[in-house]
Each structure stands twice: as C-alpha cells, then as structure tokens.
Amino acid sequence: MAGIVTAALVLILPWFWPTLEEPARGGGGDISGPVDFIGTRYHPESHFWPLQLLESALVLALAAAAIVAAFAFLRRRHR
C-alpha cells in the first residue's frame, strides 16, 4: 500500500508544483542538493520543504479518510 501511495505522489506532484527544465547537456553535469530528475525536468533545492509539506498533507488526508472509512465499516458491521 505504501508503494502505491508513493507512486501516486510521484505521478501527481508535477501538477501541484511546477518543475524547472534544463537543456540536455553531455558529460557529467553535477547538480548539488536534493533534486528529482524525470528526463530534463527537476525540482531545485528551494522546492524541497514546500514539497515535503504538500506530500505530508496529502498522506495525512489519505490516512484520515482511511480511518473514517474503517470506523464507518465497523459501525455498520457491529449493528
């Protein structure tokens, strides 16, 4: 389940926060700091904390929805 959530976050993240584009270059281009490469698109270091907060909020909302669904299921089953 955690893998599915992680994969979903990777897929939907570009719609929530814009990526930067870098022209393709040959050789060993070194970019320091935490970056996520998908082709030539990446998130620079300045996006790290806002992305962490966004991902945390999405995971917490998903956990809250799972808890509400579990309580609703158990309440119906107990009756």
Side-chain angles (χ1 to χ4, degrees), residues 1-2 5 7 9-10 12-13 15 19 21 25 30-32 36-37 40 42 45 52 56 60-61 68 71 73 76 79:
M1 184 64 143
V5 172
L9 284 173
V10 168
I12 65 171
L13 203 57
W15 283 291
T19 57
E21 300 222 9
R25 58 183 173 192
D30 182 34
I31 296 178
S32 60
D36 296 329
F37 275 103
T40 58
Y42 68 96
E45 189 174 341
Q52 288 294 316
S56 297
L60 287 172
V68 168
F71 274 105
F73 175 76
R76 267 189 265 140
R79 288 181 186 186

Side-chain angles (χ1 to χ4, degrees), residues 16-77:
F16 286 114
W17 202 273
T19 57
L20 298 179
E21 300 222 9
E22 181 174 296
R25 58 183 173 192
D30 182 34
I31 296 178
S32 60
V35 293
D36 296 329
F37 275 103
I38 301 175
T40 58
R41 294 178 159 197
Y42 68 96
H43 291 286
E45 189 174 341
S46 62
H47 292 184
F48 181 76
W49 286 113
L51 288 173
Q52 288 294 316
L53 292 173
L54 176 66
E55 288 178 3
S56 297
L58 291 174
V59 169
L60 287 172
L62 181 62
I67 289 171
V68 168
F71 274 105
F73 175 76
L74 291 173
R75 181 175 294 166
R76 267 189 265 140
R77 186 174 172 157

